[in-house]
Amino acid sequence: IKFDAGTLLLSTHRLIWRDQKNHECCVAIPLSQIVFIEEQAAGIGKSAKIVVHLHPAPPNKEPGPFQNSKNSYIKLSFKEHGQIEFYRRLLEEMTQRRWENMPASQSLQTSRGSQPGRVRAVGIVGIERKLEEKRKETDKNISEAFEDLSKLMIKAKEMVELSKSIANKIKEKQGDITEDEERGGIMSLTEVYCLVNRARGMELLSPEDLVNACKMLEALKLPLRLRVFDSGVMVIELQSHKEEEMVASALETVSEKGSLTSEEFAKLVGMSVLLAKERLLLAEKMGHLCRDDSVEGLRFYPNLFMTQS
Amino acid sequence: MAMSFEWPWQYRFPPFFTLQPNVDTRQKQLAAWCSLVLSFCRLHKQSSMTVMEAQESPLFNNVKLQRKLPVESIQIVLEELRKKGNLEWLDKNKSSFLIMWRRPEEWGKLIYQWVSKSGQNNSVFTLYELTSGEDTEGEEGSRLVGVS
């Protein structure tokens, strides 16, 4: 085979020569094999050339026109034109070394001969794909950031709405016995949380949102208030509700039965164990009850230490 | 000669065996414990005790009621007694103590009163005479043990 009339093609990965007449005949050399290149200017009777100095052939070298050569370079002879431009482009590819970042699509074999157009497309398409990915990523980050901001604005709106809706509900129900009153005028915050979110169905409130909204109740002059017991338990109670008065009736109940645990008291009075315990603890704090803490559990007794001599 | 010891009402009150968190209630509780310890020791003629003995003694352990005063609370009661002058620790580890159901000053006062009564002022008495003389039988003095 004589390699004297053909077209030289440059991709990001390879240097390809294709025979002018027989397009099936192609040879290629990976750019990674190139050590350096030099120009040889045209002269009288001489065409411009590019000398391509190569690394020794690797053991897994693709089969080619020659198995080996005593030379460590090849010469590209530009009979017509294009040497200057080609040199510039080749040098650029050598500098950029893009074959290191992008895997080549397929190996080139002389028998097969691929279309230069497609080889070139792989490289460019690869670049284009990367650019597209990058653009999409940037887009995503921007929209996510804006999402957070809009979510925040929604939350703030929600809290104001919640406080207002509670206020309205109360206005409507004024005069009739409300569910609140039926519950003894006091409800633990977890109970409120469940009821409110169940009623909303969608766009549920987080616990923090609920606490923050409830903290505003008194300031908004609503007939409800948030109360925090010593134990840390939080409740919502009607402004009209007087827990301290409930304590007096709790004492009566305990005295009647001699002694009661929180569970027993809760069952008797018909309230949650959590609130029952808080009431008994408050009664103890006020000196009306005392405690018996043993393996049998925690029981409350009337405070005979104070009443009996 | 052991008298039947009459337990106070608190002894049958389960909360008595739980250290009360309410400060005012606790004050009353501790006062009741102190007087119980003193009258118990007085009746049983116990002038000293170890903390281990105290834990298992019916004093702090009401078997019938199934209630025991926990050792940390016993320590608090003993500390109260010490503050009042009725208790002295016999060792650095606070494992055994001396219980003085009558404080030394109180003894001094009693002795003086007795001496005055029997018109024996300004005489010197031996301890023997004081504790086992004819005149002293039936009086508090005859039960005096280890007066320092």
Side-chain angles (χ1 to χ4, degrees), chain A residues 227-277:
Chain A
R227 183 177 180 154
V228 185
F229 287 110
D230 292 344
S231 58
V233 166
M234 295 196 259
V235 297
I236 299 292
E237 52 177 18
L238 291 173
Q239 286 272 7
S240 55
H241 179 86
K242 303 248 167 32
E243 187 64 13
E244 281 74 6
E245 285 171 6
M246 304 310 253
V247 160
S249 81
L251 174 60
E252 254 184 68
T253 311
V254 173
S255 305
E256 271 170 43
K257 300 288 177 181
S259 73
L260 288 172
T261 63
S262 308
E263 293 81 11
E264 289 165 357
F265 179 68
K267 206 168 178 183
L268 265 174
V269 181
M271 64 193 302
S272 70
V273 178
L274 181 80
L275 293 181
K277 185 161 188 189

Tab-separated table of all heavy atoms in Angstrom, chain A residues 227-277:
chain	number	residue	atom	x	y	z
A	227	ARG	N	-49.443	27.042	77.805
A	227	ARG	CA	-48.914	26.942	79.162
A	227	ARG	C	-47.853	25.844	79.200
A	227	ARG	O	-48.058	24.764	78.648
A	227	ARG	CB	-50.048	26.596	80.113
A	227	ARG	CG	-49.593	26.547	81.554
A	227	ARG	CD	-50.732	26.278	82.476
A	227	ARG	NE	-50.256	26.249	83.851
A	227	ARG	CZ	-51.008	26.533	84.901
A	227	ARG	NH1	-52.258	26.866	84.730
A	227	ARG	NH2	-50.511	26.460	86.120
A	228	VAL	N	-46.745	26.144	79.833
A	228	VAL	CA	-45.670	25.163	79.955
A	228	VAL	C	-45.522	24.772	81.421
A	228	VAL	O	-45.266	25.624	82.259
A	228	VAL	CB	-44.322	25.730	79.433
A	228	VAL	CG1	-43.261	24.651	79.448
A	228	VAL	CG2	-44.476	26.314	78.042
A	229	PHE	N	-45.699	23.483	81.719
A	229	PHE	CA	-45.530	23.016	83.092
A	229	PHE	C	-44.054	22.846	83.437
A	229	PHE	O	-43.203	22.835	82.553
A	229	PHE	CB	-46.265	21.684	83.283
A	229	PHE	CG	-47.760	21.830	83.326
A	229	PHE	CD1	-48.549	21.362	82.292
A	229	PHE	CD2	-48.390	22.436	84.410
A	229	PHE	CE1	-49.937	21.498	82.326
A	229	PHE	CE2	-49.770	22.573	84.447
A	229	PHE	CZ	-50.543	22.103	83.403
A	230	ASP	N	-43.760	22.703	84.738
A	230	ASP	CA	-42.382	22.519	85.204
A	230	ASP	C	-41.694	21.360	84.489
A	230	ASP	O	-40.504	21.414	84.206
A	230	ASP	CB	-42.353	22.230	86.718
A	230	ASP	CG	-42.772	23.441	87.527
A	230	ASP	OD1	-42.790	24.551	86.957
A	230	ASP	OD2	-43.089	23.286	88.723
A	231	SER	N	-42.466	20.334	84.214
A	231	SER	CA	-41.896	19.144	83.576
A	231	SER	C	-41.542	19.403	82.111
A	231	SER	O	-40.878	18.588	81.485
A	231	SER	CB	-42.903	18.006	83.634
A	231	SER	OG	-44.096	18.407	82.985
A	232	GLY	N	-42.021	20.516	81.576
A	232	GLY	CA	-41.761	20.807	80.164
A	232	GLY	C	-42.945	20.498	79.273
A	232	GLY	O	-42.956	20.861	78.096
A	233	VAL	N	-43.939	19.819	79.803
A	233	VAL	CA	-45.136	19.490	79.036
A	233	VAL	C	-45.877	20.789	78.682
A	233	VAL	O	-46.046	21.679	79.514
A	233	VAL	CB	-46.060	18.556	79.864
A	233	VAL	CG1	-47.443	18.456	79.267
A	233	VAL	CG2	-45.428	17.186	79.999
A	234	MET	N	-46.298	20.868	77.411
A	234	MET	CA	-46.989	22.080	76.951
A	234	MET	C	-48.455	21.778	76.686
A	234	MET	O	-48.787	20.745	76.111
A	234	MET	CB	-46.333	22.587	75.666
A	234	MET	CG	-44.908	23.047	75.886
A	234	MET	SD	-44.307	24.034	74.520
A	234	MET	CE	-43.354	22.845	73.661
A	235	VAL	N	-49.312	22.686	77.094
A	235	VAL	CA	-50.743	22.532	76.863
A	235	VAL	C	-51.314	23.828	76.318
A	235	VAL	O	-50.721	24.896	76.457
A	235	VAL	CB	-51.506	22.143	78.162
A	235	VAL	CG1	-51.061	20.807	78.691
A	235	VAL	CG2	-51.371	23.235	79.217
A	236	ILE	N	-52.506	23.673	75.716
A	236	ILE	CA	-53.297	24.846	75.339
A	236	ILE	C	-54.492	24.829	76.271
A	236	ILE	O	-55.160	23.804	76.393
A	236	ILE	CB	-53.774	24.752	73.871
A	236	ILE	CG1	-52.582	24.699	72.923
A	236	ILE	CG2	-54.703	25.889	73.518
A	236	ILE	CD1	-51.782	25.980	72.862
A	237	GLU	N	-54.734	25.925	76.933
A	237	GLU	CA	-55.920	25.976	77.781
A	237	GLU	C	-56.724	27.232	77.461
A	237	GLU	O	-56.180	28.240	77.001
A	237	GLU	CB	-55.556	25.917	79.274
A	237	GLU	CG	-54.529	26.928	79.738
A	237	GLU	CD	-54.266	26.868	81.238
A	237	GLU	OE1	-54.594	25.850	81.879
A	237	GLU	OE2	-53.740	27.854	81.763
A	238	LEU	N	-58.025	27.122	77.721
A	238	LEU	CA	-58.895	28.284	77.563
A	238	LEU	C	-58.480	29.317	78.596
A	238	LEU	O	-58.107	28.951	79.710
A	238	LEU	CB	-60.351	27.897	77.813
A	238	LEU	CG	-61.021	26.987	76.777
A	238	LEU	CD1	-62.391	26.573	77.289
A	238	LEU	CD2	-61.150	27.692	75.444
A	239	GLN	N	-58.541	30.564	78.216
A	239	GLN	CA	-58.229	31.638	79.166
A	239	GLN	C	-59.088	31.511	80.413
A	239	GLN	O	-58.647	31.804	81.507
A	239	GLN	CB	-58.474	33.013	78.518
A	239	GLN	CG	-57.417	33.408	77.503
A	239	GLN	CD	-56.244	34.132	78.129
A	239	GLN	OE1	-56.147	34.243	79.352
A	239	GLN	NE2	-55.329	34.609	77.308
A	240	SER	N	-60.332	31.034	80.195
A	240	SER	CA	-61.270	30.911	81.316
A	240	SER	C	-60.919	29.725	82.217
A	240	SER	O	-61.420	29.623	83.322
A	240	SER	CB	-62.686	30.740	80.771
A	240	SER	OG	-62.717	29.629	79.877
A	241	HIS	N	-60.046	28.844	81.739
A	241	HIS	CA	-59.712	27.646	82.499
A	241	HIS	C	-58.780	27.987	83.651
A	241	HIS	O	-57.783	28.661	83.477
A	241	HIS	CB	-59.039	26.644	81.550
A	241	HIS	CG	-58.638	25.373	82.220
A	241	HIS	ND1	-59.497	24.312	82.377
A	241	HIS	CD2	-57.467	24.984	82.778
A	241	HIS	CE1	-58.859	23.334	82.995
A	241	HIS	NE2	-57.634	23.706	83.241
A	242	LYS	N	-59.114	27.496	84.839
A	242	LYS	CA	-58.264	27.769	85.992
A	242	LYS	C	-57.754	26.434	86.531
A	242	LYS	O	-58.468	25.747	87.266
A	242	LYS	CB	-59.053	28.533	87.070
A	242	LYS	CG	-59.658	29.841	86.559
A	242	LYS	CD	-59.014	31.035	87.193
A	242	LYS	CE	-59.341	32.358	86.521
A	242	LYS	NZ	-60.631	32.533	85.888
A	243	GLU	N	-56.554	26.104	86.132
A	243	GLU	CA	-55.970	24.825	86.540
A	243	GLU	C	-55.856	24.720	88.060
A	243	GLU	O	-56.056	23.652	88.627
A	243	GLU	CB	-54.605	24.631	85.862
A	243	GLU	CG	-53.970	23.258	86.063
A	243	GLU	CD	-54.749	22.086	85.453
A	243	GLU	OE1	-55.665	22.300	84.654
A	243	GLU	OE2	-54.453	20.940	85.823
A	244	GLU	N	-55.560	25.824	88.690
A	244	GLU	CA	-55.394	25.825	90.154
A	244	GLU	C	-56.700	25.430	90.860
A	244	GLU	O	-56.674	24.776	91.894
A	244	GLU	CB	-54.919	27.192	90.645
A	244	GLU	CG	-53.418	27.443	90.447
A	244	GLU	CD	-53.028	27.704	89.006
A	244	GLU	OE1	-53.925	27.811	88.155
A	244	GLU	OE2	-51.827	27.790	88.714
A	245	GLU	N	-57.816	25.801	90.259
A	245	GLU	CA	-59.105	25.423	90.864
A	245	GLU	C	-59.366	23.945	90.678
A	245	GLU	O	-59.953	23.285	91.544
A	245	GLU	CB	-60.239	26.232	90.224
A	245	GLU	CG	-60.268	27.671	90.705
A	245	GLU	CD	-61.233	28.546	89.923
A	245	GLU	OE1	-61.964	28.017	89.067
A	245	GLU	OE2	-61.234	29.762	90.167
A	246	MET	N	-58.907	23.425	89.546
A	246	MET	CA	-59.067	21.994	89.273
A	246	MET	C	-58.320	21.180	90.308
A	246	MET	O	-58.692	20.054	90.601
A	246	MET	CB	-58.521	21.659	87.874
A	246	MET	CG	-59.151	22.464	86.773
A	246	MET	SD	-60.943	22.419	86.895
A	246	MET	CE	-61.382	21.376	85.559
A	247	VAL	N	-57.247	21.784	90.824
A	247	VAL	CA	-56.437	21.094	91.825
A	247	VAL	C	-57.266	20.797	93.070
A	247	VAL	O	-57.174	19.710	93.650
A	247	VAL	CB	-55.192	21.946	92.176
A	247	VAL	CG1	-54.607	21.541	93.512
A	247	VAL	CG2	-54.141	21.806	91.088
A	248	ALA	N	-58.089	21.744	93.477
A	248	ALA	CA	-58.929	21.548	94.667
A	248	ALA	C	-59.854	20.351	94.480
A	248	ALA	O	-60.015	19.531	95.395
A	248	ALA	CB	-59.733	22.807	94.948
A	249	SER	N	-60.431	20.238	93.290
A	249	SER	CA	-61.324	19.098	93.046
A	249	SER	C	-60.525	17.806	92.950
A	249	SER	O	-61.005	16.742	93.333
A	249	SER	CB	-62.167	19.321	91.792
A	249	SER	OG	-61.450	19.008	90.638
A	250	ALA	N	-59.269	17.915	92.474
A	250	ALA	CA	-58.412	16.733	92.410
A	250	ALA	C	-58.152	16.205	93.806
A	250	ALA	O	-58.177	14.992	94.043
A	250	ALA	CB	-57.093	17.070	91.722
A	251	LEU	N	-57.918	17.108	94.747
A	251	LEU	CA	-57.687	16.726	96.141
A	251	LEU	C	-58.883	15.963	96.702
A	251	LEU	O	-58.733	14.932	97.362
A	251	LEU	CB	-57.401	17.969	96.985
A	251	LEU	CG	-57.286	17.756	98.494
A	251	LEU	CD1	-56.157	16.787	98.820
A	251	LEU	CD2	-57.068	19.071	99.221
A	252	GLU	N	-60.047	16.463	96.400
A	252	GLU	CA	-61.273	15.781	96.849
A	252	GLU	C	-61.324	14.358	96.341
A	252	GLU	O	-61.608	13.430	97.090
A	252	GLU	CB	-62.492	16.532	96.310
A	252	GLU	CG	-63.236	17.343	97.342
A	252	GLU	CD	-64.491	17.970	96.746
A	252	GLU	OE1	-65.423	17.204	96.423
A	252	GLU	OE2	-64.510	19.214	96.601
A	253	THR	N	-61.068	14.227	95.052
A	253	THR	CA	-61.111	12.910	94.415
A	253	THR	C	-60.117	11.956	95.064
A	253	THR	O	-60.458	10.807	95.371
A	253	THR	CB	-60.807	13.028	92.908
A	253	THR	OG1	-61.620	14.076	92.357
A	253	THR	CG2	-61.092	11.727	92.169
A	254	VAL	N	-58.907	12.438	95.278
A	254	VAL	CA	-57.857	11.595	95.873
A	254	VAL	C	-58.237	11.209	97.298
A	254	VAL	O	-58.080	10.052	97.703
A	254	VAL	CB	-56.481	12.309	95.844
A	254	VAL	CG1	-55.434	11.504	96.610
A	254	VAL	CG2	-56.014	12.522	94.414
A	255	SER	N	-58.753	12.176	98.035
A	255	SER	CA	-59.133	11.897	99.430
A	255	SER	C	-60.207	10.833	99.507
A	255	SER	O	-60.146	9.939	100.363
A	255	SER	CB	-59.618	13.174	100.105
A	255	SER	OG	-58.649	14.182	99.998
A	256	GLU	N	-61.172	10.933	98.612
A	256	GLU	CA	-62.253	9.932	98.588
A	256	GLU	C	-61.711	8.532	98.433
A	256	GLU	O	-62.169	7.598	99.069
A	256	GLU	CB	-63.184	10.201	97.401
A	256	GLU	CG	-64.336	11.139	97.672
A	256	GLU	CD	-65.049	11.517	96.386
A	256	GLU	OE1	-65.275	10.608	95.552
A	256	GLU	OE2	-65.346	12.714	96.213
A	257	LYS	N	-60.722	8.394	97.563
A	257	LYS	CA	-60.189	7.073	97.264
A	257	LYS	C	-58.999	6.685	98.133
A	257	LYS	O	-58.480	5.598	98.001
A	257	LYS	CB	-59.748	7.031	95.779
A	257	LYS	CG	-60.862	7.290	94.809
A	257	LYS	CD	-61.811	6.127	94.736
A	257	LYS	CE	-62.959	6.447	93.797
A	257	LYS	NZ	-63.929	5.352	93.709
A	258	GLY	N	-58.588	7.575	99.023
A	258	GLY	CA	-57.449	7.281	99.885
A	258	GLY	C	-56.137	7.646	99.213
A	258	GLY	O	-55.357	8.435	99.728
A	259	SER	N	-55.924	7.074	98.045
A	259	SER	CA	-54.722	7.382	97.265
A	259	SER	C	-54.990	7.004	95.811
A	259	SER	O	-55.826	6.138	95.537
A	259	SER	CB	-53.513	6.607	97.774
A	259	SER	OG	-53.605	5.241	97.421
A	260	LEU	N	-54.292	7.671	94.898
A	260	LEU	CA	-54.481	7.375	93.471
A	260	LEU	C	-53.173	7.507	92.699
A	260	LEU	O	-52.335	8.348	93.032
A	260	LEU	CB	-55.500	8.351	92.848
A	260	LEU	CG	-56.981	8.187	93.232
A	260	LEU	CD1	-57.786	9.355	92.676
A	260	LEU	CD2	-57.536	6.872	92.706
A	261	THR	N	-53.036	6.686	91.665
A	261	THR	CA	-51.929	6.876	90.721
A	261	THR	C	-52.435	7.799	89.614
A	261	THR	O	-53.651	8.053	89.528
A	261	THR	CB	-51.499	5.554	90.065
A	261	THR	OG1	-52.601	5.058	89.303
A	261	THR	CG2	-51.080	4.524	91.103
A	262	SER	N	-51.540	8.278	88.747
A	262	SER	CA	-51.952	9.165	87.638
A	262	SER	C	-52.949	8.460	86.736
A	262	SER	O	-53.924	9.056	86.282
A	262	SER	CB	-50.745	9.575	86.799
A	262	SER	OG	-49.739	10.093	87.603
A	263	GLU	N	-52.682	7.162	86.468
A	263	GLU	CA	-53.563	6.398	85.574
A	263	GLU	C	-54.950	6.258	86.172
A	263	GLU	O	-55.956	6.450	85.474
A	263	GLU	CB	-52.983	4.999	85.316
A	263	GLU	CG	-51.685	4.969	84.515
A	263	GLU	CD	-50.453	5.269	85.355
A	263	GLU	OE1	-50.541	5.313	86.608
A	263	GLU	OE2	-49.387	5.485	84.757
A	264	GLU	N	-55.000	5.920	87.478
A	264	GLU	CA	-56.295	5.746	88.136
A	264	GLU	C	-57.075	7.052	88.127
A	264	GLU	O	-58.277	7.066	87.857
A	264	GLU	CB	-56.092	5.280	89.587
A	264	GLU	CG	-55.587	3.853	89.707
A	264	GLU	CD	-55.052	3.516	91.103
A	264	GLU	OE1	-55.019	4.415	91.971
A	264	GLU	OE2	-54.647	2.361	91.321
A	265	PHE	N	-56.370	8.128	88.423
A	265	PHE	CA	-57.001	9.451	88.460
A	265	PHE	C	-57.517	9.827	87.081
A	265	PHE	O	-58.634	10.328	86.941
A	265	PHE	CB	-55.993	10.482	88.986
A	265	PHE	CG	-56.526	11.878	89.053
A	265	PHE	CD1	-57.524	12.224	89.954
A	265	PHE	CD2	-56.039	12.868	88.203
A	265	PHE	CE1	-58.027	13.526	90.013
A	265	PHE	CE2	-56.528	14.166	88.264
A	265	PHE	CZ	-57.525	14.496	89.163
A	266	ALA	N	-56.683	9.585	86.053
A	266	ALA	CA	-57.073	9.917	84.676
A	266	ALA	C	-58.363	9.204	84.293
A	266	ALA	O	-59.278	9.796	83.707
A	266	ALA	CB	-55.958	9.530	83.721
A	267	LYS	N	-58.438	7.933	84.656
A	267	LYS	CA	-59.610	7.118	84.309
A	267	LYS	C	-60.865	7.652	85.011
A	267	LYS	O	-61.910	7.801	84.404
A	267	LYS	CB	-59.351	5.676	84.729
A	267	LYS	CG	-60.132	4.670	83.921
A	267	LYS	CD	-59.609	3.256	84.176
A	267	LYS	CE	-60.431	2.236	83.391
A	267	LYS	NZ	-60.006	0.865	83.655
A	268	LEU	N	-60.714	7.970	86.295
A	268	LEU	CA	-61.832	8.468	87.080
A	268	LEU	C	-62.402	9.760	86.525
A	268	LEU	O	-63.612	9.935	86.410
A	268	LEU	CB	-61.367	8.731	88.523
A	268	LEU	CG	-61.597	7.614	89.539
A	268	LEU	CD1	-60.939	8.000	90.857
A	268	LEU	CD2	-63.082	7.390	89.750
A	269	VAL	N	-61.484	10.672	86.220
A	269	VAL	CA	-61.909	12.010	85.814
A	269	VAL	C	-62.205	12.095	84.315
A	269	VAL	O	-62.933	12.976	83.870
A	269	VAL	CB	-60.822	13.047	86.209
A	269	VAL	CG1	-61.221	14.443	85.840
A	269	VAL	CG2	-60.553	12.973	87.694
A	270	GLY	N	-61.649	11.149	83.565
A	270	GLY	CA	-61.860	11.159	82.122
A	270	GLY	C	-60.958	12.135	81.411
A	270	GLY	O	-61.378	12.925	80.575
A	271	MET	N	-59.685	12.125	81.753
A	271	MET	CA	-58.726	12.946	81.023
A	271	MET	C	-57.504	12.101	80.683
A	271	MET	O	-57.369	10.980	81.146
A	271	MET	CB	-58.346	14.195	81.832
A	271	MET	CG	-57.633	13.946	83.149
A	271	MET	SD	-57.546	15.395	84.231
A	271	MET	CE	-56.714	16.594	83.229
A	272	SER	N	-56.631	12.674	79.850
A	272	SER	CA	-55.448	11.904	79.442
A	272	SER	C	-54.513	11.749	80.634
A	272	SER	O	-54.490	12.587	81.528
A	272	SER	CB	-54.720	12.620	78.301
A	272	SER	OG	-54.112	13.793	78.765
A	273	VAL	N	-53.754	10.665	80.638
A	273	VAL	CA	-52.824	10.380	81.729
A	273	VAL	C	-51.793	11.494	81.867
A	273	VAL	O	-51.420	11.888	82.968
A	273	VAL	CB	-52.118	9.021	81.520
A	273	VAL	CG1	-51.105	8.748	82.626
A	273	VAL	CG2	-53.137	7.895	81.472
A	274	LEU	N	-51.369	12.023	80.743
A	274	LEU	CA	-50.374	13.104	80.746
A	274	LEU	C	-50.885	14.310	81.521
A	274	LEU	O	-50.204	14.838	82.396
A	274	LEU	CB	-50.056	13.513	79.306
A	274	LEU	CG	-49.008	14.611	79.156
A	274	LEU	CD1	-47.621	14.042	79.298
A	274	LEU	CD2	-49.149	15.295	77.815
A	275	LEU	N	-52.110	14.735	81.199
A	275	LEU	CA	-52.676	15.903	81.873
A	275	LEU	C	-53.037	15.584	83.312
A	275	LEU	O	-52.920	16.446	84.197
A	275	LEU	CB	-53.905	16.412	81.115
A	275	LEU	CG	-53.613	17.007	79.731
A	275	LEU	CD1	-54.895	17.502	79.093
A	275	LEU	CD2	-52.603	18.127	79.813
A	276	ALA	N	-53.478	14.338	83.544
A	276	ALA	CA	-53.804	13.923	84.904
A	276	ALA	C	-52.566	14.039	85.782
A	276	ALA	O	-52.613	14.571	86.896
A	276	ALA	CB	-54.313	12.488	84.907
A	277	LYS	N	-51.444	13.550	85.283
A	277	LYS	CA	-50.202	13.610	86.051
A	277	LYS	C	-49.818	15.059	86.352
A	277	LYS	O	-49.416	15.361	87.482
A	277	LYS	CB	-49.078	12.917	85.268
A	277	LYS	CG	-47.788	12.848	86.056
A	277	LYS	CD	-46.840	11.807	85.544
A	277	LYS	CE	-45.664	11.676	86.522
A	277	LYS	NZ	-44.612	10.837	85.994
